[in-house]
Amino acid sequence: MTTFDTPKISKVDCSSPLLPYVKTLWRSHANTLGFFPDGAFETYAEKKLILVATDSSDNLLGYLLYRVTPSRNDASIVHLCIDKSARGKGIASKLVKELFISTKSLRGVGLKCRRDFDANKLWPKLGFVAVSENAGRSTTGSTLTRWWYDHNHPNLFSIAQDADLDKKRKVIIDANIFYDLKNENNEETMALTADWLDDCIAICISDELLNEINRASTSQEREACRAFSTQFPTLKCDPTIFDETFGALKKYLPANPSEQDRSDLIHLAKAIAGNADFFVTRDDAILDKCNEVYEEFGIPILRPSDLITEIDTLYRESEYQPARLAGTLYAISRVQSQSEGILVGLFQNDVEGEKQSNLKENLRKLLSTPHNTECYMALDQQNNPIGLIAFNIKSNGILKIELLRVLKKHSLASTIVRFLIGQIIKRASKEKRDLIQVTDKFMDSKTNEALAEDHFISLNDGWYKISLHEHAPCSNFIDRLANLRQEYANLKEYCENIQSTLINAKNLNDANALWKVEALFSPGLISDSEIPCYIVPIKPYWAQQLFDEKLAGQDLFGAKINLALNREAIYYRSIKNSFGISAPARIIWYVSQHNKFHGSGGLRAYSRLEDVILGYPKQLFRQFRRLGIYEWKDVIYTAKSEDNQLMAIRFSNTTMLEKSLEWDKLMSLLTNAGINTQLQCPCPIPESLFFSIISES
């Protein structure tokens, strides 16, 4: 190992024996560094504004001299000089990183460099971006480029911009899309400017775009592009997260990457580190890696046309990504006393005006009454809290949620809160509570949006969801709603509306309307709705991955974390012999017999059938990869070929049967109903048989 491998970075003062060597190194490079008075070195050393890199024998390898301008709250690099014998060893990078650490309380670090100097190729590699240029004072008419590294401290402008971006899905574009928009020369890309898209997406850039603009050949072109770029918000990201992400993406660089190759990957890394929802490009090399990148980082890489045609599906994808949460969520744990301080810092909603003292007091109250309240944290793989939920279990008929929070700015915040809401609904069902009330006054917009999606309604004293549990005729539910209306006066209008919808749908024999109403008070089922019902066969392996907890427990590693997250799931099968299965419907899962899986060969669970989609493997995989059970190899294996269409069965709200209905009993029930089948494919059954089966189990 050479001495250059582990350089020591330190600051020098006026008494340092290294200061004369700093001056000597400057003199040998004065032609590029410029004139600098000898006494100025002492002044900078006195202020400890000179960083030096030395080897294990204290030989000087290089130095960085900078100044701080309090009025601008920034720092500027005056000299960065590396001894010729030490170049190419990462010395400059280590000096600059130490500078970033030393100045992290400032706005950022800037410098100016002549455009014709080779050093201009170094600055972007060190994390700087080229923000502007102007004519230098040299008699040769050189151009000075202004380089900048931002510490990303919030200010009034950035806070306002972040608040606006949080209302939309953030779309990062790369340079080829940017130039398309500027030059208006690509019809596919120009579709991104449609007015209707403005309500749901925000087109953003990463600051790497400024470095790409800086490569343009003329100053006029560079200036025009910089001016055009100001109309797009720049998505910020944590430098540490960016470094980790870019390091993980480097495997996708070609053997001898060009500056353009590197920039392409930096755009993507900054999109991931900045929690962008989508990355849009026309670069085939990046698009070819979309599946691998999605599986590792969860960001969809799309052409402009794909973003536009699939915006509704993609919107859902950005909100709910159980595939990524499965790799993040580790456990649900009871909150211990003395944890208030940590939790307040993580989950306080200051945007909505919540005070730290109020949240701390609330937490202490909840933790001091364990006979009435239970407080839980969702933990990531490092045991860091990423979600917080507090149940009030005092009342028998109503389950109250006094806190429902997710970690600020977490890339999976929307998925985490949907998981927590799923746990709330599951608990209410298990405890047979007829009503759920969420009373937390300081939830964020993502949580409110998720509650509305799960059929909660917002009233003046919180969010409510009806949770009925019986399997009964429509008239029973109408009566039950009448009781709730009398018991809870604030729900009077809501219950009346559901009652009216039920009565009208029943009178019209509208199975689709009844299926939708069922979702409002799930897990209850209307037994005389005429909603289509099917038995769907599934192999034990896929049953254990998608919903079957008992089968999952037989696997060496199990699938229980994934099962807990899969409020909705996808099952792929051949289109052949599908017997016209369509949604909406109910399905009962028949898990086929396999010697490896004890308990297979029977009916195991039932679900709501949300959708049946036919399509080619790539299209379907991209559409449903967020659900995370299937890998690309599984999908193509099922299809046999990319040219063969597949059937994707999307289902939700799966309920395990208390006991499996075995083959002989099942065949007896089917025979009595006049159905002859070996269950090799989906089998339509009467609604009455559906309820007979689940009552037998």
Side-chain angles (χ1 to χ4, degrees), residues 99-123:
L99 173 65
F100 291 160
I101 293 170
S102 299
T103 61
K104 62 183 178 181
S105 64
L106 304 177
R107 282 194 313 117
V109 179
L111 66 102
K112 288 185 178 181
C113 183
R114 276 178 48 169
R115 187 171 180 83
D116 56 339
F117 282 0
D118 288 340
N120 275 285
K121 296 178 181 179
L122 173 68
W123 302 120

Side-chain angles (χ1 to χ4, degrees), residues 354 359 362 365-366 372-373 388-393 395 398-405 421 424 435-444 447-448 451 456-465 488 490:
E354 183 179 37
L359 179 57
N362 193 16
K365 181 185 71 173
L366 292 169
N372 288 336
T373 57
L388 179 65
I389 183 170
F391 295 94
N392 186 319
I393 57 175
S395 172
I398 183 169
L399 181 64
K400 290 187 178 181
I401 313 303
E402 300 201 15
L403 283 177
L404 181 57
R405 305 292 174 90
I421 293 170
I424 293 169
L435 200 61
I436 303 169
Q437 181 188 15
V438 183
T439 60
D440 191 342
K441 296 179 181 179
F442 293 102
M443 296 181 298
D444 61 21
T447 302
N448 292 331
L451 286 168
F456 284 75
I457 60 163
S458 178
L459 299 175
N460 56 4
D461 59 343
W463 287 81
Y464 287 86
K465 183 183 186 330
Y488 302 98
N490 56 344

Side-chain angles (χ1 to χ4, degrees), residues 232-428:
F232 303 102
T234 301
L235 193 64
K236 304 295 185 181
C237 65
D238 183 288
T240 302
I241 298 175
F242 164 75
D243 288 342
E244 292 173 355
T245 306
F246 185 67
L249 286 171
K250 279 185 177 179
K251 58 179 175 270
Y252 298 120
L253 283 172
N256 297 301
S258 64
E259 284 185 318
Q260 185 62 56
D261 293 328
R262 180 180 168 85
S263 283
D264 290 342
L265 222 57
I266 290 175
H267 280 300
L268 180 56
K270 292 201 170 186
I272 294 167
N275 294 329
D277 296 294
F278 311 110
F279 184 76
V280 174
T281 181
R282 289 190 298 102
D283 188 324
D284 289 335
I286 298 291
L287 288 164
D288 287 344
K289 303 297 181 185
C290 65
N291 289 336
E292 294 96 319
V293 172
Y294 184 87
E295 287 182 10
E296 186 171 357
F297 299 101
I299 187 169
I301 301 175
L302 305 155
R303 295 185 64 88
S305 55
D306 291 333
L307 176 71
I308 293 164
T309 58
E310 299 179 32
I311 189 67
D312 291 335
T313 298
L314 292 166
Y315 182 93
R316 176 66 174 146
E317 179 169 329
S318 70
E319 289 298 298
Y320 182 56
Q321 298 185 3
R324 292 182 67 200
L325 187 55
T328 301
L329 183 66
Y330 173 69
I332 304 295
S333 175
R334 288 288 289 266
V335 176
Q336 303 298 316
S337 59
Q338 311 302 318
S339 302
E340 310 94 71
I342 296 173
L343 295 176
V344 166
L346 293 172
F347 296 110
Q348 177 204 3
N349 189 353
D350 51 356
V351 174
E352 296 294 331
E354 183 179 37
K355 296 180 179 179
Q356 284 193 2
S357 57
N358 290 346
L359 179 57
K360 183 177 288 188
E361 181 182 350
N362 193 16
L363 278 167
R364 285 176 176 169
K365 181 185 71 173
L366 292 169
L367 293 172
S368 66
T369 55
H371 53 290
N372 288 336
T373 57
E374 296 176 6
C375 197
Y376 294 90
M377 299 178 293
L379 303 173
D380 66 12
Q381 299 289 345
Q382 288 74 45
N383 276 320
N384 299 314
I386 57 176
L388 179 65
I389 183 170
F391 295 94
N392 186 319
I393 57 175
K394 186 175 181 180
S395 172
N396 291 328
I398 183 169
L399 181 64
K400 290 187 178 181
I401 313 303
E402 300 201 15
L403 283 177
L404 181 57
R405 305 292 174 90
V406 291
L407 190 63
K408 303 170 187 176
K409 297 293 183 182
H410 196 288
S411 62
L412 292 174
S414 293
T415 302
I416 295 166
V417 76
R418 279 163 173 77
F419 165 72
L420 294 177
I421 293 170
Q423 298 304 298
I424 293 169
I425 295 171
K426 186 179 293 187
R427 177 164 184 164

Side-chain angles (χ1 to χ4, degrees), residues 124-142:
K125 295 178 181 178
L126 298 177
F128 291 86
V129 293
V131 294
S132 63
E133 61 186 67
N134 59 274
R137 297 177 181 176
S138 167
T139 56
T140 61
S142 62

